[in-house]
Amino acid sequence: MKIMRLGKIGSEQPAVLVTDGDGSPQYFSLLPLTAEIDGDFLAGGGMDQVRDALAAGALPILDGAEAMRVGSPVARPGSVVGIGMNYAAHAAESGSAPPEIPVVFLKPSNTVAGPFDPTPVPPRSGKFDWEVELGIVIGREASYLAGTAEAAACIAGYVTANDLSEREYQLPGEAGQWTKGKSLPGSTPLGPWLVPAADTDGGTLQLRSWVNGEPRQGSSTAELIFDAATLVHHCSQYMRLEPGDVILTGTPEGVALSGRFPYLRPGDVVEVEVEGLGRQRQELFRAAP
């Protein structure tokens, strides 16, 4: 079961993608259940409602779905929480020791974009970078959770994410300037779909990325220093996570910051994929001043 939002920007409609017996994709409208994939839907048992409606054959086929633009599978989150250096090899290529506690930062929710939307490179950017990541979607309020079991119950599902970053804005200066390098328009593509936590093991998924068709990253969420439940528990001690919020769990080695690859330029094509959660593709263009 893959939850999606399809349509033009600002006019997306909720849908679910399933595979029939011969492997053919089938798209069904979720409008009989909800007008939006948001916190209210997730907190109100929306995933179970979709599953029950599919089993009952109560959802209409969404004609023309394959030709529609794919939006972020969750409507604009209240918070997008980033986790830094959560793979030991990426910490090493960044010149840092693996962290002993999660490194947490925030991204503006207006950075969220569809998985195939063109991505603007800032007018003065010279060190634009890619980061394939597992994204956690929160399904119920999480605040001062007692432990990781309670935290795991707050996870609605998982998405593919690309945490596009401008390193020249992010790193120079005292203590770095992470907010500046992580807040750029269109820099958080999510999707193409949201897979319920009950349908996948977020701790064993392969992650890969490509630039202009050439492989860059290749790793597994099994290599995360802090797993999904640990991150939800940790963040809940410092902020209130609400349904619909997204946590980006960090990226593995193989980014341009390593010095092994050139930074992105306008005209480049970036692709990122998390096993079972779908593959993204962004064409880069230079934003006008």
Side-chain angles (χ1 to χ4, degrees), residues 16-247:
V16 59
L17 169 63
V18 295
T19 303
D20 64 17
D22 65 1
S24 300
Q26 289 188 312
Y27 296 82
F28 295 93
S29 173
L30 294 182
L31 286 176
L33 301 179
T34 183
E36 191 55 284
I37 307 299
D38 56 13
D40 288 342
F41 169 79
L42 296 171
M47 295 293 204
D48 289 337
Q49 293 172 28
V50 174
R51 204 180 301 276
D52 291 344
L54 282 171
L59 297 175
I61 292 176
L62 183 57
D63 292 326
E66 292 180 323
M68 291 181 175
R69 170 188 170 269
V70 180
S72 164
V74 289
R76 183 166 170 172
S79 296
V80 178
V81 182
I83 306 298
M85 298 184 291
N86 199 19
Y87 291 80
H90 175 59
E93 74 178 359
S94 303
S96 302
E100 297 183 4
I101 59 173
V103 176
V104 181
F105 60 92
L106 294 175
K107 299 193 71 170
S109 61
N110 64 10
T111 62
V112 171
F116 308 111
D117 292 345
T119 295
V121 178
R124 296 183 300 276
S125 170
K127 293 185 177 180
F128 205 55
D129 209 347
W130 62 90
E131 292 190 355
V132 60
E133 306 201 12
L134 173 71
I136 302 167
V137 178
I138 302 299
R140 64 178 71 172
E141 185 174 302
S143 181
Y144 302 121
L145 299 177
T148 55
E150 192 174 354
C154 294
I155 299 175
Y158 300 98
V159 296
T160 298
N162 190 356
D163 179 19
L164 292 158
S165 307
E166 217 306 328
R167 306 301 190 187
E168 202 165 32
Y169 300 171
Q170 176 189 351
L171 298 175
E174 292 188 25
Q177 295 287 333
W178 282 47
T179 297
K180 292 179 180 177
K182 299 282 189 175
S183 299
L184 305 168
S187 64
T188 316
L190 299 178
W193 47 68
L194 164 63
V195 174
D199 293 355
T200 188
D201 182 355
T204 61
L205 303 179
Q206 298 296 310
L207 305 94
R208 296 186 294 171
S209 68
W210 301 260
V211 176
N212 299 326
E214 297 180 359
R216 291 292 186 262
Q217 294 169 280
S219 188
S220 167
T221 56
E223 300 299 319
L224 284 166
I225 299 172
F226 307 105
D227 66 13
T230 299
L231 292 175
V232 173
H233 173 258
H234 179 83
C235 290
S236 79
Q237 309 306 305
Y238 303 95
M239 63 186 75
R240 181 173 63 196
L241 297 170
E242 298 179 335
D245 287 351
V246 175
I247 299 176

